[in-house]
Amino acid sequence: MATQEQILSRRTFAIISHPDAGKTTMTENLLFFGGAIRDAGTVKARKTGKFATSDWMEIEKQRGISVTSSVMQFDYDKFRINILDTPGHQDFSEDTYRTLMAVDSAVMIVDVAKGIEAQTIKLFKVCRLRGIPIFTFINKLDRQGKEPLELMEELEEVLGIESYAMNWPIGMGKEFVGIYDRYNNRIEQFRTEENERILPLDENGELLGDHVMKQTSYYKQAIEDINLLNEAGNDLDLEKVENGKMTPVFFGSALTNFGVRTFLETYLEFAPTPQPRKTDADELIDPVSEEFSGFIFKIQANMNPAHRDRIAFVRIVSGKFERGMTVTLSRTGKTFKLSQSTQFLADDRETVEMAVAGDIIGLHDTGNYQIGDTIVGGKRLFNYEKLPQFTPELFVRVTAKNVMKSKHFYKGIMQLVQEGAIQYYKTLHTEDVILGAVGQLQFEVFEYRMKNEYNVEVRMESIGNKIARWIQNESNVLETMSNPRSMLVRDRYDRYVFLFENDFAMRWFQDKNVDIELYSLL
Ligand code: G4P
């Protein structure tokens, strides 16, 4: 197959949801269809520990949350699909954001009974920032939930996105009989013989003939709703879908594997092919261009405790990767032969020989890579746009309990900072280590990993919530250093950062120092 054809066959997306909405169950079904796992249950088994491949997954197990995000690849029909799982906890939204930088679209799973939940809103906002297409799967229709029209309204009102129902449930919970598939113009029956599963519609959009379902109240309700949607609902606008302004909505039940295949097949028709990416010089790099290039959106250390290795995850943006090829790291100009590369399958990691734009590969890393790095196959060096950092809100002062361990202490901190697990700051004169995070759990994972991976017990002293602001014109800053309501630190790039006690302190400071321009990160 020519490279171009291979690239156009790629679909790379992330699944987002509030914990428990059914992300894992959905992922399992998708992998199952792709033949990547033998029985739906493997991913769950991994989540609950049977396949625990990393030390800090212990934390995930204990708390029943997904901290890390993983990558899975499978083939379906003529497509090669890369699914990126995202952490289900809001404390890791920065990690989620970086993952979203590596995909071309997102699938949002919503629990029919719960509707739009807090974490859905947070993750959705992160998707919004990226402007990528978002597809919605409303899950658990085998249970009683909110009215479908109410859910559509909630999508529009709470998330501020237009919605278009690709299909519509007929009944719900115990009375769930199927979905009215507006897109494929048919009804798909729930819990029925395979030869009865698909029922055709007549030219008025009603069931052909005198099927028993026609007499049921839930069928009549569904038809009424559909008529309402046809008359007063949004039209499917592909341009809006492409820009993330309209979400196509599907209904189904992941646990009973109903509506998932229809979702997948329709989704694959609409989901974008690998998209071009911008360099920091505003140049768009076309995925089908000759030269290989990609960027590192995630670094994960110690994925396999037996190897104590570090994997840099690369989103290939253009061209073709072949094992053994030589690439240049644009940031340093250093060249590497990529002989140890990995791709991620459902229940294993496998050496990858060839991959193309759209694919995600893992590179063995001995400490050369940083998050956001660009690697290129050709002579011309360039960098993809920086991966944004979030403005942290929580801060701790951290020390090693045993001062003799300071070498390991700094090594651990630097590696975890490079991974993007936590943000690093230091005080001006004493150079005390201050860590910043978006959510409290990041500190817990940090503490756990320092102990388990670097053998260092740390002491963390909270300095609480702060408003962090960077300084546009740094030369003015030194005179104002002695401001009592803020702390001045430097970040890992040596930039000055004010940590204000609160909003009031920040405004007070701004009034007194009108010539200092402050800014926040994302
Ligand atoms: P997550 O990754 O988004 O956190 O959700 P996950 O797939 O783990 O699903 C959360 C719970 O919801 C699981 O039940 C799962 O079986 C259930 N679930 C997922 N999809 C459906 C569905 O379509 N219908 C119904 N009725 N339930 C669904 P659990 O009891 O928490 O876990 P388990 O006992 O099944 O392991």
Side-chain angles (χ1 to χ4, degrees), residues 473 476-477 479-481 483 498 500 505-518:
N473 37 355
N476 292 347
V477 100
E479 303 149 28
T480 55
M481 261 170 40
N483 165 39
F498 276 114
F500 292 104
M506 182 170 73
R507 272 184 276 125
W508 184 84
F509 175 87
Q510 291 237 270
D511 287 348
K512 294 261 174 294
N513 301 280
V514 279
D515 50 340
I516 295 186
E517 261 180 75
L518 302 176

Side-chain angles (χ1 to χ4, degrees), residues 54-110:
S54 70
D55 287 352
W56 76 94
M57 277 189 188
E58 280 294 324
I59 291 197
E60 301 184 2
K61 269 196 292 174
Q62 286 163 14
R63 295 172 162 267
I65 54 159
S66 164
V67 173
T68 51
S69 51
S70 51
V71 180
M72 283 156 277
Q73 189 181 68
F74 66 95
D75 291 333
Y76 185 83
D77 196 5
K78 55 183 193 292
F79 301 100
R80 172 154 294 182
I81 297 160
N82 293 285
I83 302 184
L84 280 71
D85 190 11
T86 52
H89 198 284
Q90 67 186 48
D91 286 8
F92 299 93
S93 22
E94 198 175 38
D95 197 32
T96 299
Y97 189 81
R98 288 193 292 257
T99 301
L100 288 171
M101 294 294 283
V103 300
D104 302 302
S105 60
V107 172
M108 175 166 75
I109 315 271
V110 174

Side-chain angles (χ1 to χ4, degrees), residues 56 59 67 92 416 421 440-450:
W56 76 94
I59 291 197
V67 173
F92 299 93
L416 296 179
Q440 180 65 26
L441 260 184
Q442 279 180 266
F443 291 134
E444 290 181 32
V445 171
F446 166 79
E447 186 179 9
Y448 182 90
R449 293 185 61 188
M450 285 297 281

Side-chain angles (χ1 to χ4, degrees), residues 395-425:
F395 295 85
V396 294
R397 190 185 302 265
V398 60
T399 46
K401 278 190 185 159
N402 177 351
V403 285
M404 304 299 286
K405 294 263 183 172
S406 79
K407 204 171 136 208
H408 284 97
F409 173 74
Y410 282 104
K411 182 177 171 207
I413 287 187
M414 284 313 147
Q415 288 205 347
L416 296 179
V417 166
Q418 273 184 16
E419 264 186 48
I422 201 101
Q423 295 189 19
Y424 169 83
Y425 303 88

Side-chain angles (χ1 to χ4, degrees), residues 20-25 44 47 139-140 142-143 253-255:
D20 270 353
K23 186 162 52 110
T24 312
T25 316
K44 191 105 206 173
K47 191 168 139 186
N139 191 26
K140 308 197 184 181
D142 56 306
R143 282 199 193 153
S253 160
L255 188 67

